[in-house]
């Protein structure tokens, strides 16, 4: 005679909520935006999210997302396993010349993609406009993603060594 009662009112667990997350991150409602900001730190992104993510990167809504959530999205974008993020990342990199933190997150996302094209763009962006960082561990956090990828990184050297002259 037991009848389960739905005590949690919300969306079905079987629904893809990635589009909703992106909308909530740029919401004008502070509570919704705060909840989305805390969610973005614990999500994983999947390949099927790529079209929505790339569209979001090119929209004005991205500018409404706080810096920490934007940074997390940029890093996680590299795990989407699609090269369609390379062009928007390149455009955003030049847009964020005033923020080494966001530039490093974009570079880290390209490094996580682990394709020859993403590594070539990583190198190109790094050589064109090197983010100047005061802490060694901040920049090494980006380069640690490149570990065990000598075959993809072989074009980096010796050109990258020119950057070691910066203090």
């Amino acid at each position: 005679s037991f009848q389960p009662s739905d005590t949690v009112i919300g969306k079905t667990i079987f629904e893809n909520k990635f589009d909703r997350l992106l909308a909530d991150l740029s919401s004008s409602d502070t509570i919704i935006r705060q909840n989305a900001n805390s969610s973005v730190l614990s999500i994983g992104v999947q390949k099927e999210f790529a079209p929505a993510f790339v569209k979001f990167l090119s929209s004005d809504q991205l500018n409404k997302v706080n810096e920490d959530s934007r940074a997390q999205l940029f890093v996680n974008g590299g795990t989407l396993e699609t090269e369609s993020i390379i062009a928007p990342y390149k455009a955003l990199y030049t847009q964020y010349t005033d923020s080494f933190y966001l530039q490093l997150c974009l570079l880290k996302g390209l490094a996580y993609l682990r394709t020859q094209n993403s590594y070539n763009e990583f190198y190109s962006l790094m050589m064109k406009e090197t983010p100047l960082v005061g802490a060694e561990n901040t920049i090494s956090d980006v380069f640690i993603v490149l570990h065990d990828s000598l075959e993809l990184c072989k074009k980096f050297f010796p050109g990258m060594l020119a950057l070691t002259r910066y203090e």
Side-chain angles (χ1 to χ4, degrees):
S1 65
F2 173 75
Q3 287 233 254
S5 175
D6 186 3
T7 58
V8 179
I9 299 171
K11 298 189 186 301
T12 174
I13 61 170
F14 301 108
E15 177 185 315
N16 178 349
K17 300 176 197 67
F18 189 70
D19 289 330
R20 171 94 304 349
L21 173 67
L22 295 176
D24 288 353
L25 284 169
S26 57
S27 173
S28 59
D29 187 321
T30 308
I31 299 297
I32 291 173
R33 198 172 54 246
Q34 286 175 345
N35 289 338
N37 286 331
S38 62
S39 294
V40 80
L41 298 174
S42 60
I43 65 159
V45 288
Q46 298 169 358
K47 196 172 186 172
E48 60 265 15
F49 300 161
F53 182 67
V54 170
K55 183 179 175 186
F56 185 75
L57 290 175
S58 304
S59 74
D60 292 335
Q61 298 301 316
L62 180 64
N63 295 326
K64 297 178 182 177
V65 178
N66 80 23
E67 188 177 73
D68 289 334
S69 294
R70 242 183 296 171
Q72 190 68 44
L73 286 172
F74 294 160
V75 172
N76 287 351
T79 64
L80 287 171
E81 298 176 3
T82 178
E83 290 191 349
S84 63
I85 67 163
I86 294 174
Y89 273 35
K90 180 179 180 179
L92 289 168
Y93 188 86
T94 58
Q95 179 183 331
Y96 291 127
T97 56
D98 61 337
S99 173
F100 76 86
Y101 176 59
L102 291 176
Q103 282 186 323
L104 290 176
C105 290
L106 288 162
L107 290 172
K108 194 170 183 179
L110 288 171
Y112 272 124
L113 191 51
R114 293 188 188 280
T115 67
Q116 189 63 61
N117 289 333
S118 70
Y119 276 38
N120 290 346
E121 195 58 48
F122 177 101
Y123 178 75
S124 172
L125 292 172
M126 191 71 142
M127 296 306 289
K128 182 179 172 184
E129 183 173 330
T130 307
L132 299 177
V133 183
E136 181 183 327
N137 63 337
T138 305
I139 195 74
S140 65
D141 186 47
V142 174
F143 281 96
I144 196 74
V145 180
L146 301 174
H147 77 284
D148 200 27
S149 56
L150 189 56
E151 188 63 32
L152 292 172
C153 294
K154 66 183 173 186
K155 294 180 182 177
F156 285 20
F157 308 103
M160 193 69 82
L161 295 176
L163 299 177
T164 61
R165 287 182 282 190
Y166 292 122
E167 289 185 19

